[in-house]
Amino acid sequence: MTGESDDLSRLRDEIDQVGVSAAKRVDPGTGALVIAVAVFALLVAQLLPWAGAARGWEILLGEIPDGEVVGALPKMFAFASVIAGVLLSALSLILRRWALVWFCALGCFVASVSGVLSIWTQQTTTSHAPGPGPGVGLIVAVVAVVVLLVMWLRLAASRSGL
């Protein structure tokens, strides 16, 4: 009888371990495709002009063409969008951990706020006369980051109570 109860207790422990492991994982479902497309759009946006002739990757790497004035916010957005929008999103889709989903949501929130402010400063500041305004790449990047923000927040909020 004790051998049978030992087997049942080991089985119960194994089931508990599987439950704890499953509680740490997330399944994005069809949202993974939307996230992947938004990440791809963000990567394409890095190749497009953000401010005048300065492209996103040039702003990210600090290789801004001569004569172009790029403020601090587009630079901050370039870093935040690549870190939260590309790297953390890819890592979250690969590892599927709840903690990473929350980091993606928070990182995309910071990136989206800095992105919207980047567009605003490109339109309203007097640091460039006359300013080139936001480029198509900056606008595409901000839209992609906002889509990522919505998807990650939705996924993070979908977690049921433990």
Side-chain angles (χ1 to χ4, degrees):
M1 196 70 158
T2 56
E4 209 173 286
S5 65
D6 288 342
D7 288 342
L8 284 176
S9 69
R10 272 191 252 128
L11 180 61
R12 188 175 306 120
D13 291 340
E14 186 177 339
I15 290 171
D16 290 342
Q17 288 173 352
V18 169
V20 167
S21 174
K24 293 179 183 177
R25 297 183 61 82
V26 62
D27 182 19
T30 57
L33 180 63
V34 176
I35 292 169
V37 169
V39 168
F40 180 72
L42 191 54
L43 288 172
V44 169
Q46 296 294 323
L47 303 174
L48 299 172
W50 280 26
R55 301 183 187 288
W57 68 270
E58 293 171 331
I59 294 171
L60 179 67
L61 298 176
E63 298 178 4
I64 300 166
D66 292 335
E68 295 296 331
V69 178
V70 178
L73 280 171
K75 292 175 187 176
M76 187 174 108
F77 174 66
F79 283 108
S81 66
V82 168
I83 290 171
V86 177
L87 298 177
L88 276 177
S89 291
L91 196 63
S92 295
L93 285 178
I94 292 168
L95 298 179
R96 298 176 184 245
R97 295 289 183 180
W98 280 108
L100 285 174
V101 169
W102 279 105
F103 281 124
C104 278
L106 293 173
C108 287
F109 173 75
V110 169
S112 64
V113 169
S114 66
V116 170
L117 288 174
S118 295
I119 291 174
W120 179 67
T121 58
Q122 286 299 114
Q123 291 176 336
T124 60
T125 62
T126 58
S127 65
H128 42 76
V136 67
L138 182 60
I139 295 169
V140 168
V142 170
V143 170
V145 168
V146 169
V147 168
L148 287 170
L149 169 65
V150 169
M151 294 305 295
W152 287 124
L153 278 177
R154 228 176 180 187
L155 195 55
S158 71
R159 184 176 186 182
S160 60
L162 295 175

